[in-house]
Amino acid sequence: MIYSIKQHKEIPINIVKEKYTTFTRYVVNDCSKNIGYVDLKDTEDGVKVLYIKNQQPKLYKHFGMVADQIELEHCLNRDIENPYIQSKAASGTLMQHFKRGKRYLDAEVNSYLSNILKDLKKGERVFTGFLGTQKMFMPITMINEIKEKIKIHPLLKGIK
């Protein structure tokens, strides 16, 4: 499910898995158009997120949440129960990832964003470009929350 801005509600999605030599791409579609994709490279203990792209940001929101679930389900399908899911936040996107639950390897970045978030009002934006790109991971608390969501609405069910 992904939030459709046009329909003002969550709508079902279809996912297609494409295998390449060095990575796996999951392409997310609704019935009529391509929404975006998630590129993953397998690691011994989880996955490295190479790239996620919402190709229709004016039509669909919360693609990052869909990507997070795909990342975890991909690992669970590889029989990795508590995977290490690593990625890199592009400059200027750190707060969105942090609010969603991701955490940064640099503890000072986590502390800074946590302090800013306490006083942030709804709809207010924070400039984080000066922090550059930052390596991040999916903490176990986020993994457990997404596992509960997967029990109800798996995205990769039946995809080989």
Side-chain angles (χ1 to χ4, degrees), residues 12 23 32 39 51 80 99-100 103 122 139 153 157:
F23 69 97
S32 62
D39 291 347
Y51 200 75
I80 303 172
K99 285 168 63 175
R100 218 172 56 242
R103 292 300 175 258
K122 186 174 174 91
H153 294 291
K157 185 176 180 180

Side-chain angles (χ1 to χ4, degrees), residues 3-101:
Y3 187 81
S4 167
I5 295 171
K6 193 175 187 178
Q7 296 178 38
H8 303 289
K9 66 179 183 175
E10 296 273 328
I11 62 165
I13 53 177
N14 301 314
I15 299 175
V16 177
K17 180 179 179 180
E18 299 174 351
K19 282 292 273 173
Y20 293 88
T21 305
T22 58
F23 69 97
T24 303
R25 172 171 285 172
Y26 290 94
V27 181
V28 180
N29 304 294
D30 71 6
C31 293
S32 62
K33 68 174 64 77
N34 192 8
I35 297 171
Y37 59 91
V38 181
D39 291 347
L40 304 175
K41 181 178 181 179
D42 291 343
T43 62
E44 186 176 325
D45 59 350
V47 73
K48 182 175 185 179
V49 181
L50 301 176
Y51 200 75
I52 68 169
K53 176 72 174 174
N54 179 352
Q55 295 173 300
Q56 306 287 339
K58 293 181 180 175
L59 298 176
Y60 302 96
K61 289 175 30 175
H62 310 301
F63 189 78
M65 291 167 45
V66 171
D68 292 338
Q69 185 171 337
I70 289 171
E71 294 158 20
L72 181 56
E73 281 192 58
H74 176 84
C75 292
L76 294 174
N77 289 344
R78 292 177 53 221
D79 295 322
I80 303 172
E81 195 59 33
N82 291 308
Y84 183 67
I85 299 173
Q86 58 184 309
S87 50
K88 190 181 282 188
S91 180
T93 67
L94 277 68
M95 185 58 88
Q96 293 110 297
H97 295 293
F98 188 82
K99 285 168 63 175
R100 218 172 56 242

Side-chain angles (χ1 to χ4, degrees), residues 115-146:
N115 285 332
I116 296 292
L117 190 57
K118 285 189 288 191
D119 298 323
L120 200 61
K121 293 176 179 56
K122 186 174 174 91
E124 192 174 19
R125 298 216 181 258
V126 176
F127 177 74
T128 59
F130 67 94
L131 294 170
T133 59
Q134 293 286 328
K135 290 182 180 179
M136 62 184 172
F137 65 96
M138 187 182 293
I140 194 69
T141 53
M142 187 175 181
I143 287 172
N144 290 335
E145 287 172 13
I146 296 172

